[in-house]
Amino acid sequence: ETPEEWNKSYPVTGHPEVRVNADNGSVQVITSDTQQVEFRVKTTGSAWGIGFGDKQRIDSKQDGNVVELDVHGGGSYVMGFSNRHSLIEVRMPKSADLLIHTGDGSIDINSVDGNVQATTSDGHVNITQINGKVEVKSSDGAIVARALKGSVKLSTSDGSIRASELDGGCSASSSDGSVTVEGRFDSLDVRSSDGAVITRVAAGSSMTSGWDVSTSDGSVEVALPQDFKASLDVSTGDGHILLNLPVQVQGEVSKSHVHGTLNGGGSTFHIHSSDGSVRLSGL
């Protein structure tokens, strides 16, 4: 079946804001030194049914430097089938703010100097080379992030998180999946309700407030620079603790709980597994 294609472009100046809202579609963002925002929607597949079915509606508009695309409908049948899916391509300036929401589809974003919000109810998210505040959320899918500089918040209800080359603040959480983060951090909050957690803290990181790395079910591994300053609160509900750094232990030594300091101490770093081992090592 020949795919249905739709496209529209808008001229912009300065630092625009681009918004994409879709009920059903994967979104791919491509940036360059362009002075326009171009939307392309390619819909493939077919549908048949009785009962009710919304015809796909595509609308776009511009209000000053805010450009918006809405893609709605195209499914929902009482009896029948639908394998229709849209690929939404966004070509835009590198310097811009970006807000994306899709009900069913993946999101792929590369090279943006600006704030990014990306949400999908069912799909994975791949995001790289962002300078700005980043917030990514998937209700059902993995998140892969690389080279994000700024405040970063990543969360998924069902899937793994892998984030590398981060620089700034990081909050990462999965309700069902492993979480691996690596970078230079100013703030850190990494959690999994069901999965292993691995955190590698690069040189130049500094605790200006308390940090937390934890999982309810799985092992925890934390690697720190040799000169890192922190007060440690390390614990496990069911597992063992392995310390491969010169921790000055305070109080009673326990198999399941360790209080201590690194390089004279600092803000408190909580590291915990409810059901798994904890390993702390140097880089």
Side-chain angles (χ1 to χ4, degrees), residues 209-231:
S209 60
W211 289 10
D212 196 300
V213 173
S214 62
T215 179
S216 298
D217 187 3
S219 62
V220 175
E221 295 183 27
V222 177
L224 299 171
Q226 297 291 340
D227 61 352
F228 192 77
K229 298 177 182 292
S231 295

Side-chain angles (χ1 to χ4, degrees), residues 10 66 83 93 107 119 140 150 167 182 190 208 225 242 253 255 260:
Y10 297 92
V66 178
N83 65 350
I107 299 175
T119 307
D140 186 4
D167 188 352
E182 174 269 320
V190 182
T208 55
L242 180 62
V253 177
K255 183 180 83 168

Side-chain angles (χ1 to χ4, degrees), residues 62-81:
Q62 181 174 20
D63 183 4
N65 241 15
V66 178
V67 185
E68 189 166 353
L69 172 70
D70 291 291
V71 182
H72 294 301
S76 304
Y77 293 90
V78 173
M79 290 180 62
F81 71 92

Side-chain angles (χ1 to χ4, degrees), residues 36-174:
Q36 71 174 13
V37 174
E38 181 180 3
F39 299 125
R40 298 179 182 175
V41 182
K42 182 183 292 186
T43 303
T44 58
S46 58
W48 174 89
I50 59 174
F52 64 93
D54 293 331
K55 184 176 180 180
Q56 187 181 61
R57 305 182 310 279
I58 303 175
D59 300 303
S60 65
K61 62 183 180 181
Q62 181 174 20
D63 183 4
N65 241 15
V66 178
V67 185
E68 189 166 353
L69 172 70
D70 291 291
V71 182
H72 294 301
S76 304
Y77 293 90
V78 173
M79 290 180 62
F81 71 92
S82 175
N83 65 350
R84 291 174 64 84
H85 189 78
S86 296
L87 173 62
I88 301 164
E89 189 177 281
V90 181
R91 295 181 178 268
M92 55 179 264
K94 182 177 180 180
S95 177
D97 291 339
L98 181 62
L99 293 86
I100 296 176
H101 171 76
T102 178
D104 183 6
S106 61
I107 299 175
D108 195 318
I109 303 170
N110 182 43
S111 194
V112 176
D113 289 338
N115 299 329
V116 175
Q117 292 184 27
T119 307
T120 175
S121 299
D122 186 3
H124 68 269
V125 180
N126 191 352
I127 181 167
T128 60
Q129 293 182 314
I130 311 296
N131 292 319
K133 184 177 181 181
V134 174
E135 187 168 348
V136 175
K137 184 174 183 179
S138 174
S139 298
D140 186 4
I143 298 173
V144 177
R146 184 180 64 81
L148 311 184
K149 185 173 184 179
S151 173
V152 174
K153 185 175 183 179
L154 312 173
S155 64
T156 176
S157 299
D158 186 3
S160 63
I161 296 176
R162 290 188 290 116
S164 60
E165 299 177 48
L166 304 185
D167 188 352
C170 174
S171 171
S173 64
S174 173

Side-chain angles (χ1 to χ4, degrees), residues 210-275:
W211 289 10
D212 196 300
V213 173
S214 62
T215 179
S216 298
D217 187 3
S219 62
V220 175
E221 295 183 27
V222 177
L224 299 171
Q226 297 291 340
D227 61 352
F228 192 77
K229 298 177 182 292
S231 295
L232 298 175
D233 182 5
V234 184
S235 59
T236 175
D238 184 10
H240 63 272
I241 297 173
L242 180 62
L243 302 177
N244 288 331
L245 277 173
V247 177
Q248 185 174 350
V249 177
Q250 299 170 332
E252 183 179 347
V253 177
S254 166
K255 183 180 83 168
S256 61
H257 203 164
V258 173
H259 282 284
T261 60
L262 276 173
N263 298 303
S267 297
T268 302
F269 194 167
H270 295 278
I271 304 171
H272 176 74
S273 172
S274 297
D275 187 8

